[in-house]
């Protein structure tokens, strides 16, 4: 039904834009197949009035003209529906080119390239090359996860999704039903922020831990979608980069270099161990577990308990 209506609206728009004189309802009905198939005049009139209102809501300027015989006709003049010329200076064109380069490794590369070609056709100055290198900056956003594209579309269309997800401390993946909000790239890894229906809570998922296919589900969202800033803060928090306190850990000498890079202080203890003070934010327990026996949490007690619980879960399988 949606496809049929879109085709009908497109045909009506083309008829109104292509005519040099106003077309009556009768002429429009004879020109558009969907109108010919209307069961009655009343059905056609209702359909036409709805379509005309929809086109006007989309921005098409439709004029209503009455001729000398009193017959009403319709047309959409091209000069009234022509977009203003697109003017971009060198800096604006460079910004668009930079954005296109960012996505050249992803499935959005074709769309980005096509958009720039349309801008060129619409009046982008010939002496401006949006792909020209400006400085040494060559941005890249690698997208290797198969889940990226279906999740990107689900975020755009506000569609719930289902997928299997393996937590860092779990031996097997678990099914998740999520209302996706936004995708965020954080230090080379992609994360999905959304509402976990089964847990009735906000959650963040690392795309590399999604196994199998992402499946869309019907129905509307049950939770309110936060603004972009809130989503980004949530992703940063769950990725362990927002910390409001410190933790004290013991780390085996010669190991855990990512932890050492984040440490506020490092003190040698001897016997092959060092003591580190590191930022403590949400998700630190899961990160520490990845270092296995090379890390021992000293403080705070709650972090130590969380790490022990995760290790026991891994041991149980």
């Amino acid at each position: 039904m949606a496809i049929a209506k879109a085709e009908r609206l497109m045909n009506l728009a083309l008829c109104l834009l292509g005519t040099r004189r106003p077309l009556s309802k009768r002429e429009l009905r004879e020109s558009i197949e969907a109108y010919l198939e209307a069961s009655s005049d009343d059905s056609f009139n209702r359909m036409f009035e709805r379509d005309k209102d929809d086109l006007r809501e989309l921005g098409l300027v439709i004029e209503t003209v009455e001729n000398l015989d009193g017959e009403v006709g319709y047309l959409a003049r091209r000069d009234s529906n022509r977009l203003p010329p697109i003017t971009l200076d060198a800096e604006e064109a460079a910004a668009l080119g930079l954005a296109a380069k960012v996505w050249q490794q992803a499935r959005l590369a074709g769309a980005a390239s096509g958009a720039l070609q349309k801008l060129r056709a619409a009046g982008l100055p010939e002496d401006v090359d949006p792909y020209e290198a400006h400085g040494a900056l060559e941005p890249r956003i690698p997208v290797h996860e198969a889940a990226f594209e279906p999740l990107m579309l689900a975020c755009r269309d506000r569609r719930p999704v289902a997928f299997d997800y393996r937590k860092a401390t779990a031996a097997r993946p678990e099914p998740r039903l999520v209302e996706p909000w936004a995708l965020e790239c954080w230090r080379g890894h992609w994360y999905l922020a959304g509402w976990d229906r089964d847990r009735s809570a906000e959650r963040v998922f690392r795309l590399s831990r999604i196994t199998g296919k992402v499946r869309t589900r019907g129905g509307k969202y049950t939770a309110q979608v936060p603004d972009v800033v809130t989503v980004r803060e949530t992703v940063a928090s769950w990725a362990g980069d927002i910390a409001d306190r410190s933790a004290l850990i013991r780390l085996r000498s010669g190991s855990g270099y990512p932890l050492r890079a984040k440490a506020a202080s490092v003190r040698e203890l001897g016997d092959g161990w060092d003591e580190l003070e590191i930022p403590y934010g949400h998700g630190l327990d899961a990160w520490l577990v990845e270092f296995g026996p090379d890390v021992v949490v000293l403080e705070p007690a709650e972090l130590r308990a969380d790490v022990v619980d995760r290790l026991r879960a891994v041991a149980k399988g």
Side-chain angles (χ1 to χ4, degrees):
M1 292 295 294
I3 295 176
K5 181 176 181 179
E7 182 178 357
R8 194 174 70 241
L9 289 174
M10 178 64 72
N11 288 336
L12 177 58
L14 290 175
C15 282
L16 295 174
L17 286 167
T19 182
R20 295 185 177 180
R21 62 174 181 82
L23 297 176
S24 65
K25 281 188 179 182
R26 175 184 53 80
E27 292 174 312
L28 289 170
R29 186 175 186 181
E30 293 174 352
S31 302
I32 299 175
E33 183 177 358
Y35 291 158
L36 285 173
E37 296 174 353
S39 58
S40 65
D41 289 342
D42 289 341
S43 176
F44 159 69
N45 285 329
R46 290 193 299 269
M47 188 185 306
F48 172 74
E49 292 301 325
R50 286 197 302 267
D51 290 348
K52 182 159 54 71
D53 291 341
D54 288 342
L55 287 177
R56 281 174 170 162
E57 188 175 347
L58 291 171
L60 189 68
V61 179
I62 301 175
E63 297 183 23
T64 302
V65 181
E66 186 175 344
N67 62 20
L68 296 177
D69 298 328
E71 187 179 30
V72 175
Y74 305 89
L75 79 161
R77 301 184 192 276
R78 290 183 177 271
D79 55 353
S80 300
N81 290 280
R82 184 178 293 114
L83 291 174
I86 300 174
T87 57
L88 297 174
D89 57 28
E91 288 76 13
E92 291 170 332
L96 289 173
L98 194 63
K101 284 185 177 182
V102 165
W103 290 106
Q104 71 179 39
Q105 293 185 4
R107 292 291 299 273
L108 293 178
S113 177
L116 287 175
Q117 290 179 5
K118 291 179 181 178
L119 286 172
R120 175 74 76 187
L124 185 67
E126 291 294 333
D127 58 345
V128 175
D129 182 6
Y131 289 104
E132 181 182 357
H134 291 265
L137 182 62
E138 286 291 332
R140 294 290 186 272
I141 296 183
V143 179
H144 305 295
E145 295 87 353
F148 176 83
E149 186 173 5
L151 288 176
M152 178 194 68
L153 296 176
C155 290
R156 182 196 66 184
D157 300 335
R158 293 287 186 258
R159 290 181 298 176
V161 294
F163 51 79
D164 295 330
Y165 187 75
R166 180 186 56 79
K167 296 192 295 186
T169 57
R172 291 181 297 273
E174 299 176 352
R176 298 293 185 98
L177 182 57
V178 178
E179 298 172 9
W181 292 343
L183 290 164
E184 190 79 14
C185 187
W186 194 265
R187 297 194 172 182
H189 298 288
W190 280 98
Y191 296 88
L192 170 72
W195 183 260
D196 191 318
R197 284 186 175 179
D198 295 328
R199 292 155 182 80
S200 298
E202 182 179 319
R203 289 290 185 268
V204 169
F205 306 90
R206 185 163 152 175
L207 265 61
S208 60
R209 293 180 181 150
I210 294 177
T211 62
K213 291 185 177 181
V214 175
R215 305 171 298 280
T216 58
R217 294 290 181 262
K220 297 182 179 179
Y221 278 19
T222 59
Q224 184 177 0
V225 180
D227 58 40
V228 175
V229 175
T230 302
V231 172
R232 289 179 179 176
E233 291 175 352
T234 302
V235 171
S237 174
W238 280 81
D241 274 68
I242 293 181
D244 53 5
R245 46 189 166 161
S246 298
L248 202 62
I249 66 172
R250 284 204 308 164
L251 180 64
R252 198 182 302 275
S253 300
S255 65
Y257 291 104
L259 289 172
R260 296 179 186 276
K262 294 174 68 71
S265 64
V266 179
R267 183 168 65 92
E268 293 185 10
L269 298 178
D271 297 328
W273 290 91
D274 298 325
E275 184 181 270
L276 281 70
E277 181 184 356
I278 60 175
Y280 177 20
H282 189 91
L284 180 60
D285 54 342
W287 192 31
L288 293 177
V289 168
E290 296 180 6
F291 295 93
D294 292 333
V295 169
V296 177
V297 178
L298 302 176
E299 297 176 2
E302 61 188 57
L303 176 61
R304 180 182 177 89
D306 289 341
V307 171
V308 170
D309 288 344
R310 286 180 176 273
L311 290 172
R312 284 174 177 168
V314 173
K316 290 180 180 179

